[in-house]
Amino acid sequence: MPFSLHGIGVSRGYAIGRTYLLQRNQPEITEYTIPDSIIEDEVGRFLNGLTQARRQLREIRERVPTTASAEDATAFINAHLLMLEDATLAEAPVDLIRVHKCNAEWALKIQRDFLVRVFEEMDDPYLRTRKDDVDHVVRRVQRILATDDPAYLNDPDYAELIANRLEGRIIVADDLTPADTVLMQHQGVLAFVTEYGGPLSHTAILARSLGIPAVVGARNARAYLGNDEPVIVDGRQGVILAGLDERILRYYRHKQQQERRQQRELDKLKGKPAITGDGVTIGLYANIELPEDAAAVREVVADGIGLYRTEFLFMNRSEPPDEEEHLASYLHVIKTLEGSPITIRTSDLGADKQVDGGRGGPVSTNPALGLRAIRMCLKDLSMFRPQLRAILRASAHGPVRMMIPMLSAIQEVFQVLRLVAETKQELRDRGLAFDERLPVGGMIEIPAAAVCADQFARYLDFLSIGTNDLIQYSLAIDRVDDEVNYLYDPLHPGVLTLIRNTIRAGHKAGIPVSLCGEMAGDPRYTRLLLGLGLTEFSMHPSNLLEVKRAIQGSDVGALSKIARRLLRTTDAEQYAETLKTIAQN
Ligand code: PEP
Ligand code: MG
């Protein structure tokens, strides 16, 4: 009998194939006391486990094909290798073994629990999901320790992945590490289904960049699905269908063909300008998280990068990055983009403990309203100044813009502009080149800033609307809290009014305004945003062509009139009707 399982669709596309259930047996971790005489042997056993884990990861890295889409995978594996070198994982457990006289697995568990707590308390959703990295790395070492066999290939999980022919299979697992994902993709896997993880998990990010359909968070999938069972994965809706009959199969084969045809049509839009039916040219930019994401931006031929989230540079380490590290990653992006503009956002980290690998002070009770983003940078100049210097130095190599997140008060703009002026002088004194006219812009993500956007527009060179946060703050809904997610409504009249106000303020001051929240990449909202006057969109590269299609053939003149009517409407039913009209225009 047909039945369906539901998760979160994180990489669209349909896959029809047989399941491969990955039953990884995580060893039970128990604590036992180690006699004084063999404490150093236990330390040696732990260090050997680390060495073997590194060898596994290096071996997997060598199997990554040298394609642009695989660059993400290499970056994630490198990040895991770095974690295995980092004192928080490589040294702290050694101290724990010696002090507590406990076994290596237990020491690793104590340290893992500590690090996961630190990540869980983080404000930024992307960084919060990076606790998965800790788990993946720790589990790898624990499995190696559990086999107690120096031949690392005897790690059953690793051996299984290396040996199995996974071609044409749909992988169903509890969770997948970036290394697993790479190994499998290399073997021609059709789709991924995991029981855990969210849209920002590694499986999700990698599946998207590899173009493989994926559903995450499909709880208990392995309890309901058999091994080698025919299933259909719908990576857009987040559905897994099983108990298939011929009728369902026919239907989905048809949908699959349709989707491929549509993708081929979309591909034809690559490199074509985004111009509305009435001749308005729209700028389409991309959001990136890792320098390696820049390859995907080039692939879809975006106008440039509208948001480079630099937080990843601060992850998985005990010290913030220095000027040269910042610079190296910016130069990588500049080189990949070959002359297209790049908007580098200064650090948008949460409470200050996040930058020092979790050894800092307590987290604020309400981190989303606490010391995050520009507030934190202005408080900790030793962290901020190297980034400012690096952005300025990068601007000598290509068209760079600097963007400040989470502005709430105009004084923050003045402080930043003063610091930029000081940094320029410092670079001049050091004889280093930079763009004297580096544009400095700000993100409008706080309702009060949107209301007073004209103030910000007077002193900044551009504005970018961060709707992910703007919606969270204006509707008082934690964007990562499942309990209130249903209230997260980009179409709320209050939200749309704030967006329109910001666009108007920017245009009145003669500066560009873009929108870089998730809303920009959702083609359902494209025409509404055009109607509100938006002329620059920045989004995940995978959404860019669909948005371009929605732009082509639209009529901005007509859309503006309807949008004006929409925001004058006080009747809920009429509001919904007007929204429908906009979508059809
Ligand atoms: C936003 O808030 O819309 C945004 C783009 O920034 P982030 O998602 O990184 O907070
Ligand atoms: Mg934001």
Side-chain angles (χ1 to χ4, degrees), residues 159-316:
E160 185 181 14
L161 285 181
I162 294 270
N164 276 296
R165 302 294 320 136
L166 303 176
E167 195 174 339
R169 304 291 287 272
I170 289 169
I171 302 298
V172 186
D174 53 348
D175 190 12
L176 292 170
T177 68
D180 296 339
T181 316
V182 173
L183 272 183
M184 292 177 193
Q185 187 265 344
H186 198 48
Q187 297 190 25
V189 159
L190 289 183
F192 297 116
V193 175
T194 64
E195 294 179 345
Y196 298 96
L200 297 175
S201 65
H202 284 318
T203 311
I205 294 169
L206 279 178
R208 274 196 296 269
S209 64
L210 297 168
I212 296 175
V215 175
V216 301
R219 292 294 159 98
N220 299 320
R222 287 172 308 160
Y224 292 107
L225 300 174
N227 196 29
D228 209 20
E229 181 172 350
V231 295
I232 292 167
V233 175
D234 177 347
R236 189 191 286 262
Q237 301 296 334
V239 176
I240 303 117
L241 291 162
L244 306 176
D245 58 30
E246 199 39 49
R247 194 180 49 87
I248 299 177
L249 276 168
R250 243 196 337 269
Y251 176 74
Y252 274 93
R253 280 194 199 112
H254 174 68
K255 278 183 87 98
Q256 205 175 26
Q257 277 167 3
Q258 231 177 4
E259 169 116 348
R260 284 190 191 133
R261 251 197 320 273
Q262 278 170 5
Q263 191 53 51
R264 279 198 296 274
E265 286 305 309
L266 281 180
D267 285 345
K268 289 185 193 157
L269 297 180
K270 280 183 190 170
K272 298 252 166 69
I275 302 181
T276 65
D278 52 343
V280 182
T281 301
I282 305 296
L284 292 185
Y285 296 83
N287 295 352
I288 64 165
E289 264 104 38
L290 300 164
E292 291 78 9
D293 293 342
V297 180
R298 213 180 42 194
E299 173 74 24
V300 294
V301 201
D303 291 315
I305 290 174
L307 167 63
Y308 174 9
R309 293 180 166 103
T310 56
E311 291 77 62
F312 91 97
L313 275 168
F314 295 78
M315 282 161 37
N316 301 330

Side-chain angles (χ1 to χ4, degrees), residues 124 287 307 309 311 345 348 372 443 445 465-470 479 516-518:
D124 185 292
N287 295 352
L307 167 63
R309 293 180 166 103
E311 291 77 62
R345 178 173 77 180
D348 187 24
R372 66 169 282 202
M443 288 188 72
E445 319 186 73
I465 308 171
T467 42
N468 303 343
D469 278 313
L470 185 62
R479 65 194 246 191
C516 62
E518 289 304 301

Side-chain angles (χ1 to χ4, degrees), residues 49 56 87 169 187 250 256 265 275 322 376 378 447 470 472 481 493 504 530 556:
Q56 282 189 359
R169 304 291 287 272
Q187 297 190 25
R250 243 196 337 269
Q256 205 175 26
E265 286 305 309
I275 302 181
D322 64 19
M376 190 171 119
L378 290 174
L470 185 62
Q472 140 165 287
D481 185 342
R504 275 191 184 166
L530 289 173
V556 174

Side-chain angles (χ1 to χ4, degrees), residues 52 56 96 130 134 145 176 214 242 266 301 311 332 367 388 393 416 460 491 512:
Q52 289 182 29
Q56 282 189 359
L96 289 166
R130 298 288 72 90
V134 177
L145 289 172
L176 292 170
L266 281 180
V301 201
E311 291 77 62
H332 177 94
L388 289 183
R393 285 176 63 191
V416 170
L460 290 166
L491 299 175

Side-chain angles (χ1 to χ4, degrees), residues 68-85:
S69 60
E71 281 187 30
D72 279 356
T74 312
F76 284 136
I77 294 174
N78 286 341
H80 282 198
L81 275 164
L82 278 176
M83 284 176 81
L84 285 168
E85 310 276 351

